[in-house]
Amino acid sequence: MIQPPPAKPLVEVLSGIRQPVPPLWMMRQAGRYLPEYREVRARAGGFLDLCFTPELAAEVTLQPIRRFNFDAAIIFSDILVIPYALRRSVRFEIGEGPRLDPLDTPDKVGTLSSSGDFAKLEPVFEALRRVRRELDPNIALIGFCGAPWTVATYMVAGQGTPDQAPARMMAYRHPEAFAKIIDTIVETSITYLLGQLKAGADVLQIFDTWAGVLPPREFRRWSVEPTKRIVEGVRAKVPDAKIIGFPRGAGALLPGYVEATGVDAVGIDWTAEPSLIRDKVQNSVAVQGNLDPLALIAGGDALDRAIDDVLANYAQGRLIFNLGHGIRPETPIAHIEQMVKRVRAYRG
Ligand code: CP3
């Protein structure tokens, strides 16, 4: 008799089936808080060399799974591989974050490639195939991309900015040129996400880290609409594709985001209001989050209380336990062990 494939708790939650013990992973779980990551990172040379060397990218993807036995591995890459595939210059300077050539005038936008060079992204697909071969079948493999708005904030400014002012200004002053950037990212991201599914990803996440700086009208136009087109574009080819959206800081705009985009789950940050989330978000999709990464650094009783709040607020419904944003490099490993133990001891 042919055995059915083993159930992955994270995929079950996304398919509508609450798990008594919520599945658990951490955003940015492969990274500098791990000594074994720092060792591989030092060997790789540049950050993009690490992303584009399948053997090393697969290795750092698996490191947090070996240590903590999370329910999901997220492929090691970056949201800025999309501008790189669009032939923009992308560099990562140590201690300074990303540097790109600013795309901040309509003239410059006129020179933007209309489609990506996917040969450049082939190493990411190869890393996914390697991880899938080595990963326990109960553990989900997550592929990802940045949401067009967040990727555009880096492409326009050429670097990270405190308030994303360059992209916000361009969207007001030159909406047609800005829409061309967004549309190009939408099309490239659809192909990229489909490639990740084909290479073995079980689930996709769309990171909209800077969604929270937009007024409601701009949020609908530049965050919700493009995300919806990505979800539709992926599902046109893979109808049951499981997709998590993370419009960080969206707050009271979350219910509208969920309804319009059609995502299966939504990431919530630690400022989320529990009754709004339960009544207007978790009633239709799963939620993922939302431990404050600073509570994870603090540890002790403060951490236990923060974990228990997340569980008390959301574990009666469909929950994927996670942080409200990425783990920080200074986080002690013992505190992550404390978190895993406490979440796994939950019986709801
Ligand atoms: O979650 C994971 O473990 C997978 C890997 C991953 C990275 N970046 C690796 C990375 C993911 C999912 C991302 C997403 C990403 N990249 C986002 C959205 C999610 C979020 O956390 O807000 C954004 C905005 C970026 C862009 C980016 N990449 C910035 C601003 C920086 C520099 C800031 C920093 O933390 O240094 C990066 C670099 C980066 N991407 C690192 C890692 C592990 C650190 C670089 C290093 O190790 O030298």
Side-chain angles (χ1 to χ4, degrees):
M1 214 178 91
I2 298 168
Q3 293 291 322
K8 300 176 173 68
L10 185 119
V11 176
E12 295 284 282
V13 168
L14 294 171
S15 308
I17 306 162
R18 175 186 171 272
Q19 302 294 294
V21 180
L24 161 74
W25 67 284
M26 300 191 302
M27 287 189 277
R28 291 284 188 103
Q29 65 190 20
R32 286 166 294 190
Y33 73 100
L34 286 175
E36 59 268 37
Y37 171 85
R38 296 195 296 269
E39 194 268 312
V40 175
R41 173 80 176 80
R43 254 198 293 147
F47 174 73
L48 282 180
D49 296 317
L50 176 51
C51 293
F52 291 137
T53 307
E55 187 195 342
L56 299 182
E59 167 60 22
V60 297
T61 300
L62 290 164
Q63 285 173 346
I65 307 303
R66 292 192 197 112
R67 249 189 209 269
F68 307 114
N69 191 27
F70 289 133
D71 294 283
I74 180 163
I75 191 64
F76 189 83
S77 181
D78 198 85
I79 64 168
L80 299 178
V81 300
I82 289 294
Y84 179 76
L86 287 167
R87 302 169 185 82
R88 306 298 302 169
S89 143
V90 180
R91 304 174 304 281
F92 284 83
E93 317 273 346
I94 296 264
E96 286 190 41
R99 290 288 181 277
L100 297 81
D101 283 343
L103 194 61
D104 49 4
T105 64
D107 280 354
K108 288 188 201 166
V109 174
T111 69
L112 179 63
S113 305
S114 55
S115 63
D117 176 358
F118 287 94
K120 289 183 160 175
L121 302 176
E122 185 51 43
V124 180
F125 302 139
E126 176 56 22
L128 279 156
R129 287 189 287 267
R130 280 175 185 247
V131 172
R132 189 65 276 175
R133 278 202 298 273
E134 290 186 38
L135 199 61
D136 181 301
N138 299 108
I139 300 177
L141 178 53
I142 302 176
F144 72 90
C145 69
W149 162 250
T150 288
V151 174
T153 66
Y154 291 96
M155 289 178 76
V156 171
Q159 60 184 61
T161 50
D163 53 5
Q164 294 68 55
R168 286 159 61 201
M169 281 305 285
M170 190 165 182
Y172 286 127
R173 284 189 171 142
H174 306 293
E176 282 174 21
F178 192 70
K180 184 183 168 192
I181 302 177
I182 293 285
D183 292 349
T184 306
I185 301 170
V186 167
E187 292 310 319
T188 312
S189 300
I190 291 169
T191 308
Y192 181 47
L193 292 178
L194 286 167
Q196 293 186 63
L197 287 176
K198 195 167 163 221
D202 304 293
V203 170
L204 302 170
Q205 177 155 325
I206 302 174
F207 285 89
D208 211 350
T209 305
W210 302 122
V213 300
L214 294 170
R217 172 197 297 274
E218 302 294 295
F219 176 74
R220 279 192 295 276
R221 178 157 183 196
W222 304 119
S223 174
V224 173
E225 280 301 313
T227 300
K228 175 190 163 140
R229 280 157 54 206
I230 292 179
V231 171
E232 285 173 353
V234 169
R235 296 226 179 103
K237 295 269 165 57
V238 181
D240 63 347
K242 296 284 174 280
I243 304 177
I244 303 168
F246 178 45
R248 188 169 72 98
L253 303 176
L254 268 168
Y257 172 94
V258 165
E259 198 185 335
T261 57
V263 294
D264 301 289
V266 74
I268 55 174
D269 61 65
W270 57 89
T271 66
E273 206 288 295
S275 65
L276 173 112
I277 298 297
R278 279 195 301 262
D279 297 347
K280 299 211 164 86
V281 177
Q282 206 179 21
N283 60 335
S284 59
V285 295
V287 301
Q288 173 172 284
N290 68 340
L291 188 77
D292 184 348
L294 294 191
L296 193 56
I297 297 173
D301 288 345
L303 175 57
D304 283 347
R305 276 198 305 277
I307 292 167
D308 291 351
D309 280 346
V310 174
L311 293 169
N313 285 331
Y314 306 113
Q316 292 302 308
R318 284 192 286 146
L319 171 67
I320 300 163
F321 195 100
N322 204 312
L323 311 184
H325 193 200
I327 183 170
R328 300 197 185 200
E330 64 269 35
T331 310
I333 285 168
H335 297 182
I336 302 160
E337 291 164 351
Q338 178 184 339
M339 174 185 77
V340 172
K341 218 171 136 200
R342 200 165 182 92
V343 174
R344 294 256 161 92
Y346 180 81
R347 292 288 178 282

